[in-house]
Amino acid sequence: MATKLRIRVNHRQHTVAAAADTPLLYVLTNEIGLRGPRFGCGLAQCGSCSVLVDGREVRACVMPVSAVAGKSVTTLEGLPALYAEQHGLDRAPALHPVQQALLDEQAFQCGYCANGMIVKAAELLAGNASPTEDEIRSAMNGHLCRCGTYPRILAAIKRAARAMQDANA
């Protein structure tokens, strides 16, 4: 049975009609109209549906919408604003540094994994400004790229880390 739920997504309150056990992904895409999180495997194994809940990556395809009550959800679309908030900027950039670095490195082909890769990399760099290659690989483990562009994704995350360090210097 659908009920009215209030959830905070990308710094905005939304009232949605959904059963408490409805996957968060369905609410984000079908009720709110966001297109960043994607349905991939439906089993929390590919990472396409990743979002941040209170700054931590979760797989929205298996997270019931009721579990995010009172929490802050950030999707791909909200990452620039989150970055601005985290770094005390007056205004959000057009793209989060991870998004820009992935474009600069031409890291994606089909782009299906992009959402999860970007969300996870943003989480990593928010907590570790200068990760080693092994730390990046470990953090990104469990995010699948059907096109196999892992070397470019790795290079892009390194680029984003450098850009963020330079911006904070």
Side-chain angles (χ1 to χ4, degrees), residues 46-61:
C46 73
S48 301
C49 65
S50 293
V51 299
L52 298 175
V53 175
D54 289 343
R56 304 295 304 170
E57 183 222 6
V58 301
R59 306 293 169 100
C61 69

Side-chain angles (χ1 to χ4, degrees), residues 35-38 40 45-52 56-60 74-77 79 96-103 105-126 131 135-158 160-161 164:
R35 296 293 172 244
R38 308 257 177 120
Q45 295 187 8
C46 73
S48 301
C49 65
S50 293
V51 299
L52 298 175
R56 304 295 304 170
E57 183 222 6
V58 301
R59 306 293 169 100
T74 304
T75 68
L76 180 73
E77 295 89 345
L79 287 177
H96 187 284
V98 172
Q99 292 170 308
Q100 186 62 56
L102 287 159
L103 289 171
E105 291 291 333
Q106 298 179 5
F108 296 120
Q109 289 180 27
C110 80
Y112 211 83
C113 69
N115 175 74
M117 296 287 188
I118 293 167
V119 167
K120 185 62 181 180
E123 176 201 35
L124 169 66
L125 296 178
E135 289 170 328
I136 295 170
R137 287 178 186 274
S138 178
M140 301 307 290
N141 190 27
H143 284 268
L144 304 179
C145 174
R146 295 172 178 163
C147 301
T149 63
Y150 297 110
R152 288 184 181 183
I153 294 167
L154 180 63
I157 295 169
K158 291 177 182 179
M164 291 168 71

